Amino acid sequence: MSLNAGGPSHSGDGATFSLEKPQAAAKVTGVHESLLQECERDIIWYRDYFFGKPHINLLAKSSTRGPLAVSIVLDGDYYKGIVRTTEGSERLTVPRDSVASSFWRKLFGMPPTPSSILRALSPNIPVPALKPSREPSLPNELLAMEERQVIRSYKFGLGYLRAGQSTEEQLFANTEEDMSAEFKEFVNFLGETIDLKGWRGYRAGLDVANDQTGKQSVYTKWQGYEIMFHVSTYLPHNQGDRQQLEKKRHIGNDIVVLIFQDSDTPFNLPTLTSKQNHVVIAVRPDGDKYCISVSSKTGVPHFNPDIPDPPQFNRDAVGRDFLLHKLVNAERASYKSPSFAPKISRTRNVLLLDVAERFEGR
């Protein structure tokens, strides 16, 4: 394997990392098959199913689940609902004919009450706390809130270890001149090498005016996402700086770090010193394939796609989709870890409370 095996490992900041086990039943599949379950969370539901259509918005400044913003709409034969809480947004659907309604409402052709729809959508919605809001400007506020939570750009660290190297210090010590033919091929496999000066796309904190963070980087567009790699060998190298702080300033702040290894010498995770790095994915050449190993910090939930057994993927478009999907989901999963989840929850609490205080009952 390319990362420390044999049980949990500790990084330099004392955090525990666990190696993901390959799964015999797992397969490296095309992007449409493997992304199907993940793309749902990126659909801006409110914009696509509610905004500009007759629907009901309900708010609560306080409830058993904290501040809430709930939207319900009739979409064909189904009621759809969005329940926004401090923990995230729940997207719910229920058949229209399964919603309870009184005899009189049915007799006069009236729709079910909002309370009946909410109870049919989920038993976990604190219905009594919610108050309807008909304020015309509320839909714009809710749309803006949802759009802010859809992440369309990702930055990943990309480190390089020559044969026999195994530490973070050795990784940062390598320069562009040290890059092997295999690593150069892998860089091209990931994306396009772009000139930073004058770059107009997603820049991931890199300088695009004066080459202060290197002259080039690696970028790709994939499934509607922009991805920039902080490539250790392209970032500025300071010959007199053993720690290479300029490189660490970028890669040390990346949540997910991808490491390419020329050999099967395991990367020594205890040399990793950044608290921000939550997932380390190591890749090395293995004949005409790439071998992969993944190690995640304690608290990061499992994320797809699963690693096959043997842990390999082809050097083709399907293999590239597999790797990029793994990288994107690694960061998404990290947001649920103890390092990030409380901060995200606090931010959502502030946003929801602000909306509820301004629009509840109006």
Side-chain angles (χ1 to χ4, degrees):
M1 299 300 291
S2 301
L3 291 169
N4 312 67
S9 299
H10 295 271
S11 66
D13 71 340
T16 302
F17 278 75
S18 297
L19 193 67
E20 182 178 335
K21 295 180 180 179
Q23 302 296 317
K27 296 180 180 179
V28 176
T29 58
V31 66
H32 295 296
E33 298 169 65
S34 61
L35 263 183
L36 190 60
Q37 62 185 342
E38 299 297 335
C39 65
E40 183 78 2
R41 70 186 65 180
D42 279 356
I43 296 174
I44 303 178
W45 256 41
Y46 192 68
R47 182 195 66 194
D48 293 347
Y49 295 107
F50 297 75
F51 193 76
K53 302 172 184 176
H55 67 282
I56 300 170
N57 292 313
L58 305 102
L59 304 171
K61 286 186 285 190
S62 63
S63 74
T64 54
R65 300 181 67 182
L68 297 174
V70 179
S71 302
I72 50 179
V73 68
L74 178 61
D75 182 40
D77 292 328
Y78 293 87
Y79 281 104
K80 294 183 184 294
I82 302 176
V83 181
R84 306 171 188 84
T85 73
T86 58
E87 302 306 315
S89 294
E90 299 174 36
R91 291 153 186 178
L92 307 169
T93 302
V94 66
R96 178 181 185 177
D97 56 12
S98 68
V99 179
S101 188
S102 69
F103 168 78
W104 294 108
R105 297 189 75 87
K106 291 179 180 178
L107 180 64
F108 290 102
M110 299 172 65
T113 63
S115 296
S116 296
I117 299 169
L118 291 172
R119 290 190 174 95
L121 285 168
S122 171
N124 299 319
I125 300 173
V127 177
L130 290 162
K131 297 179 182 178
S133 173
R134 296 177 177 83
E135 173 61 38
S137 60
L138 177 57
N140 287 313
E141 290 282 343
L142 295 175
L143 179 63
M145 182 188 300
E146 190 165 89
E147 287 179 333
R148 280 197 295 269
Q149 295 171 69
V150 177
I151 299 172
R152 289 294 181 189
S153 55
Y154 291 88
K155 60 184 183 69
F156 302 122
L158 174 57
Y160 169 58
L161 289 170
R162 290 183 287 166
Q165 293 183 332
S166 62
T167 68
E168 181 186 73
E169 184 177 322
Q170 291 170 326
L171 182 152
F172 286 140
N174 290 327
T175 66
E176 188 172 354
E177 288 72 27
D178 297 317
M179 292 171 62
S180 65
E182 284 280 14
F183 182 46
K184 290 178 181 177
E185 181 181 332
F186 183 67
V187 166
N188 291 331
F189 175 79
L190 289 175
E192 172 190 4
T193 299
I194 54 103
D195 293 326
L196 285 172
K197 184 173 284 188
W199 177 250
R200 295 184 180 277
Y202 174 58
R203 63 188 188 91
L206 297 173
D207 175 43
V208 296
N210 301 304
D211 289 337
Q212 292 185 0
T213 55
K215 295 181 180 296
Q216 294 182 313
S217 193
V218 176
Y219 168 89
T220 191
K221 279 188 175 180
W222 178 77
Q223 295 298 306
Y225 305 115
E226 288 189 277
I227 297 174
M228 182 72 83
F229 292 91
H230 291 146
V231 187
S232 63
T233 52
Y234 289 170
L235 291 167
H237 185 83
N238 186 341
Q239 196 65 39
D241 181 8
R242 183 174 177 179
Q243 295 189 60
Q244 295 299 324
L245 293 178
E246 182 61 27
K247 297 183 180 185
K248 188 174 290 188
R249 181 166 71 90
H250 293 284
I251 296 177
N253 280 304
D254 291 325
I255 296 172
V256 181
V257 177
L258 176 62
I259 298 176
F260 184 86
Q261 301 169 292
D262 276 339
S263 67
D264 60 0
T265 302
F267 176 65
N268 191 5
L269 273 172
T271 67
L272 196 68
T273 57
S274 172
K275 294 181 179 180
Q276 187 78 352
N277 300 152
H278 278 59
V279 179
V280 179
I281 299 179
V283 172
R284 63 175 175 84
D286 189 12
D288 61 351
K289 301 178 184 292
Y290 287 122
C291 186
I292 183 173
S293 54
V294 178
S295 195
S296 302
K297 186 178 285 190
T298 298
V300 176
H302 176 76
F303 50 93
N304 291 330
D306 288 329
I307 296 174
D309 191 8
Q312 299 171 328
F313 59 93
N314 290 326
R315 306 186 188 195
D316 57 14
V318 173
R320 181 175 182 271
D321 283 338
F322 166 80
L323 179 58
L324 293 177
H325 185 196
K326 193 70 174 174
L327 287 165
V328 168
N329 279 356
E331 180 154 328
R332 287 177 170 178
S334 297
Y335 294 151
K336 299 179 181 179
S337 72
S339 302
F340 298 106
K343 300 173 188 175
I344 294 172
S345 180
R346 285 195 296 270
T347 300
R348 287 184 60 87
N349 185 80
V350 170
L351 292 172
L352 286 167
L353 190 58
D354 174 64
V355 168
E357 287 178 340
R358 288 190 290 129
F359 296 103
E360 185 187 65
R362 290 174 57 185

